[in-house]
């Protein structure tokens, strides 16, 4: 038997694990603990423990598929036929409508090498501006706020281990007990060490049950809540005036905005009692160190960037930033949510987190690629805008989707499905026949996580090496080989190697000198050090586990306050749609469920969608546990069984988003976009809830 040290294929913790395989290099694969890896110390959630189940040929694609006519069935094809058809479809759209009519939609689970080469493929082989990725739906608001405040975006500017050693954590809109269970030990250890935990969430989640204080605001109330806390920090004399003077700028405007959010007003806006606001401020400011950690709860809003900015303001005003055991951090969601947004598959970025509109950045990357910088396209549409324009006169007409399932994961998903159907040509590269792949003209079977080598960057900014442990089934290819095959057919035979280490070496050069500088990181060094924190500009540099201790990454080295004020959600309840809907994850499934829904053990734990509602609301509707409910908004309708619990507000219902079909939560959600980040408003919309039988009778 052979063992291989590697990492879990799911969330941004990228837990260390060990795979045991037969010496032949073939399945089956056994997942073992790897207790020496510092992030999870051997602990694995159910998804990690069962990760090998998705490698089985029975649950995945093992040969290319093509569709001969629209409306016809997908049939098996050779790789040559599938790649030739893909290039023909792309070329036809380009020749008829122009280069930007060919688009690329990537994913936050792709390795750094894949994300890098996918962005290069779009800009060099296709020469299109139409490229973005599903990470726009996850961390983009926090990333924008992080850049605005600190000059750079790294989800956590400190290692996870620091969480257990700080004095107080405010955890906003995050439920690690279900989304990343091995991380929960840091919050338990925080309390065991005498620290305090404040959880902000409209639901009393398993994480909230651990808290010293649970603030339960209305969905969409996080911005007002943060402003109310800053108001009390100012009014009660808790400012760190020395830190503000030495290390920040813009405080006066931020203070003026916060002072308009007095506790009684914030109580009306959020439903959180003024006394609870005061208790939170006392708990946070009385600790010697403190952190604010946000996740999708406050970020997936049309005001997500400002909301995160307001929570960063709270850190800056109290001196909880740029110091050991203190700071603001984003708990990134997808497996490579951090690295995936750094290296060029985002509409406005080039590798190394460089702006595509910066002439110096364009010149640097173009030199690495061996192309004319003037030939590189400019910024394109953000993810939802790209999807919304599919098939339209000024939109993408031929699309490559790699590592994403927007039929389930996009807001206003029925509309997005219609736009995908409106394309002249759709090609999907995926390990499984996802809901999106079922619409494609060509489906390309991708290698799985244990069948390929590549780097990922976890939520701490630690660059890790996921190692190949087993051969892919015959007929399956790695995405790097797919991109190389397509590029060659498009007349660009060089610059798209299939060897991941060769791609990473080029990525190092492309990122050198950029905000996300990987120049000093190599495969050998990652293996020797169990990961290297960026920025790491050269091989003599130790890496940067903790950022901002001396200066922030702004031109003057100072952090910037954001002068933000409360504004309502893009859509709030009214007489027709009187309730809030919020969405999220459950422990047994992951993202769109394309892989986890193929694992029997996980399906037993989380067999399908549900509608969580308060007993008082269930009583008004005459609904009992398990009865079917219809949840309707101005955009669509979802049907799922009722789950009655007093852990949610009476004015709010919750649905997990892992399923397609009738129970698809994103049939209902609102695509209203944050003007800075392009983030859709997944976390709040106005809905009507009724018994499904009654709803059918009214239709």
């Amino acid at each position: 038997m052979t063992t291989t040290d590697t990492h879990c294929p799911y969330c941004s913790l990228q837990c260390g694990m060990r795979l045991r395989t037969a010496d032949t290099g073939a399945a089956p694969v056994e997942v073992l603990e790897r207790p020496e890896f510092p992030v999870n110390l051997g602990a694995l959630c159910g998804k990690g423990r069962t990760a090998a189940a998705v490698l089985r040929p029975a649950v995945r694609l093992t040969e290319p598929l093509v569709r001969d006519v629209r409306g016809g069935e997908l049939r098996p094809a050779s790789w040559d036929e599938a790649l030739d058809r893909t290039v023909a479809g792309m070329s036809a759209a380009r020749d008829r409508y122009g280069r930007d009519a060919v688009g690329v939609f990537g994913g936050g689970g792709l390795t750094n090498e894949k994300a890098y080469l996918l962005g290069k493929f779009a800009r060099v082989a296709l020469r299109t501006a139409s490229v973005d990725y599903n990470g726009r739906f996850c961390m983009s608001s926090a990333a924008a706020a992080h850049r605005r405040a600190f000059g750079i975006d790294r989800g956590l500017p400190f290692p996870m281990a620091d969480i257990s050693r700080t004095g107080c954590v405010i955890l906003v809109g995050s439920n690690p007990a279900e989304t990343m269970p091995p991380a929960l030990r840091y919050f338990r250890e925080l309390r065991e060490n005498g620290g305090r935990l404040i959880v902000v969430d409209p639901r009393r989640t398993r994480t909230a049950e651990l808290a010293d204080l649970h603030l339960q605001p209305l969905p969409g109330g996080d911005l007002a809540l943060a402003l109310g806390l800053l108001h009390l920090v100012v009014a009660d004399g808790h400012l760190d005036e020395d830190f503000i003077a030495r290390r920040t700028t813009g405080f006066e405007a931020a203070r003026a905005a916060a002072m308009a959010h007095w506790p009684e007003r914030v109580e009306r806006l959020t439903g959180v009692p003024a006394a609870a606001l005061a208790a939170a401020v006392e708990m946070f400011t009385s600790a010697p160190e403190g952190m604010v950690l946000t996740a999708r709860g406050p970020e997936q809003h049309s005001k997500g960037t400002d909301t995160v900015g307001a929570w960063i303001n709270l850190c800056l005003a109290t001196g909880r930033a740029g110091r050991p055991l203190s700071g603001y951090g984003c708990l990134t969601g997808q497996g490579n949510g951090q690295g995936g947004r750094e290296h060029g598959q985002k509409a406005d970025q080039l590798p190394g987190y460089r702006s595509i509109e910066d002439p110096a950045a364009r010149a640097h990357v173009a030199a690495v690629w061996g192309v004319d910088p003037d030939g590189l396209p400019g910024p394109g549409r953000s993810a939802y805008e790209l999807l919304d324009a599919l098939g339209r006169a000024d939109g993408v007409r031929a699309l490559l989707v790699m590592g994403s399932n927007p039929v389930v994961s996009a807001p206003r998903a029925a509309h997005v499905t219609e736009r995908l159907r409106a394309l002249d040509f759709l090609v999907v590269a995926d390990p499984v026949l996802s809901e999106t792949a079922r619409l494609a003209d060509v489906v390309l079977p991708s290698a799985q996580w244990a069948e390929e080598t590549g780097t990922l960057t976890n939520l701490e900014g630690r660059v890790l090496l996921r190692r190949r442990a087993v051969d892919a089934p015959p007929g399956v290819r790695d995405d790097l080989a797919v991109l190389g095959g397509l590029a060659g057919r498009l007349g660009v035979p060089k610059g798209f190697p299939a060897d991941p280490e060769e791609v990473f070496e080029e990525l190092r050069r492309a990122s050198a000198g950029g905000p996300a500088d990987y120049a000093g990181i190599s495969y050998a060094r990652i293996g020797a050090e169990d990961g290297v924190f960026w920025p790491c500009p050269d091989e003599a540099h130790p890496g940067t586990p903790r950022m901002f201790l001396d200066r922030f990454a702004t031109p003057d080295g100072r952090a910037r306050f954001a002068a933000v004020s409360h504004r309502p959600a893009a859509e709030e309840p009214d007489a027709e749609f009187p309730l809030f809907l919020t969405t999220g994850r459950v422990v047994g499934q992951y993202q769109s469920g394309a892989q986890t829904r193929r694992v029997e053990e996980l399906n037993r734990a989380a067999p399908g969608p549900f509608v969580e509602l308060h007993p008082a609301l269930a009583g008004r509707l005459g609904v009992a546990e398990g009865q079917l409910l219809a949840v309707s908004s101005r955009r669509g309708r979802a049907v799922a069984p009722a789950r009655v619990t007093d852990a949610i507000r009476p004015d709010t219902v919750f649905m997990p988003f892992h399923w397609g079909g009738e129970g698809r939560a994103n049939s209902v959600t609102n695509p209203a976009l944050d003007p800075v980040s392009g983030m859709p408003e997944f976390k709040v919309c106005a809905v009507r809830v009724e018994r499904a039988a009654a709803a059918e009778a009214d239709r």
Side-chain angles (χ1 to χ4, degrees):
M1 303 294 284
T2 300
T3 59
T4 304
D5 287 351
T6 190
H7 296 274
C8 179
Y10 295 116
C11 84
S12 65
L13 282 181
Q14 282 301 292
C15 290
M17 60 170 55
R18 188 164 284 130
L19 302 183
R20 184 159 60 195
T21 59
D23 291 333
T24 60
V29 177
E30 183 181 4
V31 175
L32 305 174
E33 293 182 356
R34 186 178 156 201
E36 66 274 16
F37 184 66
V39 176
N40 62 308
L41 297 176
L44 295 170
C45 72
K47 294 186 290 291
R49 287 188 293 99
T50 61
V54 300
L55 301 173
R56 294 180 294 119
V59 301
R60 58 187 297 191
L61 296 165
T62 56
E63 58 187 344
L65 303 173
V66 300
R67 199 185 307 273
D68 291 320
V69 294
R70 278 292 168 95
E73 296 296 318
L74 289 165
R75 64 164 176 84
S78 69
W79 270 99
D80 281 340
E81 181 184 9
L83 295 177
D84 287 345
R85 283 193 176 217
T86 298
V87 170
M90 290 177 163
S91 298
R94 178 198 61 202
D95 294 345
R96 184 173 182 183
Y97 303 107
R99 289 197 297 264
D100 290 346
V102 184
V104 173
F105 196 83
L110 300 178
T111 63
N112 290 319
E113 292 80 359
K114 292 181 184 182
Y116 171 82
L117 211 64
L118 187 64
K120 182 180 179 181
F121 175 79
R123 283 143 182 151
V124 174
L126 296 175
R127 299 183 66 194
T128 180
S130 301
V131 53
D132 211 78
Y133 82 126
N134 65 15
R136 183 79 68 169
F137 298 159
C138 295
M139 291 73 59
S140 58
S141 290
H146 222 145
R147 290 197 307 273
R148 187 167 67 182
F150 305 127
I152 198 170
D153 159 41
R154 199 181 85 184
L156 291 183
F158 40 74
M160 286 288 291
D162 284 2
I163 293 171
S164 61
R165 300 166 54 215
T166 191
C168 181
V169 171
I170 303 179
L171 185 62
V172 189
S174 178
N175 181 18
E178 299 208 46
T179 60
M180 48 179 68
L184 200 63
R185 72 177 183 87
Y186 294 110
F187 299 97
R188 289 198 178 103
E189 289 174 4
L190 166 74
R191 299 195 65 213
E192 291 167 2
N193 293 337
R196 313 295 290 277
L197 176 63
I198 301 168
V199 171
V200 179
D201 199 306
R203 303 166 62 224
R204 191 178 68 249
T205 63
R206 288 172 54 201
T207 304
E209 290 174 350
L210 296 177
D212 296 282
L213 178 64
H214 176 204
L215 306 181
Q216 203 166 1
L218 285 165
D222 296 313
L223 176 53
L225 181 63
L227 288 162
L229 296 178
L230 181 55
H231 177 108
L232 286 171
V233 165
V234 175
D236 295 346
H238 295 302
L239 293 174
D240 188 331
E241 295 182 358
D242 177 67
F243 179 87
I244 292 169
R246 288 189 301 105
R247 301 203 58 191
T248 73
T249 187
F251 174 64
E252 292 304 323
R255 174 166 61 181
M259 297 317 287
H261 298 79
W262 55 92
E264 293 75 18
R265 181 189 178 203
V266 171
E267 180 173 339
R268 292 195 301 272
L269 290 172
T270 67
V272 176
L277 299 176
V281 168
E282 176 61 27
M283 195 175 293
F284 187 61
T285 58
S286 63
E289 303 94 12
M291 298 175 179
V292 173
L293 306 177
T294 69
R296 309 300 80 73
E299 298 164 14
Q300 287 181 322
H301 293 270
S302 60
K303 52 184 175 180
T305 302
D306 283 356
T307 300
V308 175
W311 288 104
I312 292 174
N313 285 352
L314 185 65
C315 287
L316 296 177
T318 55
R320 266 73 170 163
R323 290 174 171 168
L325 305 181
S326 291
Y328 163 77
C330 162
L331 296 176
T332 303
Q334 293 193 76
N336 199 28
Q338 181 67 59
R341 65 183 184 262
E342 294 169 359
H343 296 302
Q345 64 171 333
K346 201 174 174 194
D348 55 353
Q349 285 180 359
L350 290 170
Y353 227 132
R354 288 180 160 92
S355 169
I356 201 167
E357 297 181 275
D358 178 1
R362 293 169 65 87
H364 174 87
V365 173
V368 174
W369 288 350
V371 300
D372 182 350
D374 293 336
L376 293 176
R381 292 180 167 107
S382 68
Y384 182 77
E385 295 170 309
L386 187 155
L387 295 172
D388 182 47
L390 295 178
R392 303 189 192 279
D394 64 341
V396 166
R397 307 302 290 262
L399 181 68
L400 165 63
V401 177
M402 184 171 281
S404 186
N405 187 19
V407 166
V408 176
S409 63
R412 198 185 173 196
H415 170 73
V416 169
T417 303
E418 292 173 3
R419 299 322 314 155
L420 287 162
R421 293 185 187 277
L423 286 165
D424 294 7
F425 181 79
L426 173 63
V427 55
V428 175
D430 203 297
V432 299
L433 192 63
S434 69
E435 287 82 355
T436 303
R438 291 180 186 277
L439 303 180
D441 299 288
V442 175
V443 182
L444 305 174
S446 299
Q448 284 270 32
W449 60 285
E451 301 160 352
E452 57 188 13
T453 293
T455 61
L456 299 99
T457 307
N458 80 345
L459 75 172
E460 311 164 297
R462 189 193 303 253
V463 185
L464 305 166
L465 184 61
R466 190 189 286 168
R467 296 175 174 88
R468 177 179 168 276
V470 66
D471 295 334
V476 172
R477 291 188 184 179
D478 180 272
D479 289 331
L480 297 180
V482 170
L483 292 172
L486 293 174
R489 285 167 168 81
L490 288 163
V492 187
K494 295 182 179 180
F496 292 89
D499 175 39
E501 189 166 7
E502 186 177 346
V503 176
F504 189 78
E505 288 301 306
E506 183 178 301
L507 182 157
R508 293 174 65 187
R509 298 194 302 275
S511 73
D517 192 335
Y518 283 34
I521 304 174
S522 65
Y523 275 26
R525 185 170 175 188
I526 295 170
E529 301 178 24
D530 236 343
V532 181
F533 291 87
W534 72 261
C536 184
D538 58 68
E539 293 184 0
H541 193 281
T544 314
R546 295 172 181 85
M547 303 181 76
F548 312 139
L549 298 182
D550 300 316
R551 68 188 313 274
F552 295 98
T554 55
D556 61 4
R558 291 171 173 261
R560 282 152 172 67
F561 279 91
V564 297
S565 295
H566 169 74
R567 60 183 187 271
E571 179 183 79
E572 296 201 323
D574 55 22
E576 185 179 3
F577 298 98
L579 297 168
F580 291 99
L581 169 72
T582 191
T583 65
R585 287 170 50 187
V586 296
V587 68
Q589 301 290 349
Y590 179 71
Q591 301 300 83
S592 76
Q595 294 178 325
T596 51
R597 285 187 274 119
R598 288 165 168 81
V599 179
E600 292 180 9
E601 181 177 331
L602 299 178
N603 284 332
R604 287 195 297 271
F610 57 86
V611 181
E612 186 177 278
L613 73 165
H614 192 275
L617 176 58
R620 293 202 303 271
L621 296 174
V623 173
E625 179 81 16
Q627 290 186 313
L628 287 180
L629 286 176
V631 179
S632 303
S633 74
R634 291 176 173 85
R635 291 154 296 283
R637 178 175 181 268
V639 176
R643 181 173 292 182
V644 182
T645 173
D646 64 0
I648 193 167
R649 296 176 56 100
D651 51 14
T652 301
V653 295
F654 166 84
M655 289 190 73
F657 56 70
H658 308 292
W659 289 271
E662 193 176 46
R664 181 175 60 185
N666 279 319
S667 295
V668 182
T669 50
N670 191 353
L673 300 182
D674 182 291
V676 179
S677 68
M679 170 73 81
E681 192 150 75
F682 287 101
K683 279 294 186 260
V684 57
C685 68
V687 297
R688 178 176 62 249
V689 179
E690 52 201 324
R691 289 181 298 165
E696 289 294 339
D698 292 340
R699 294 181 77 183

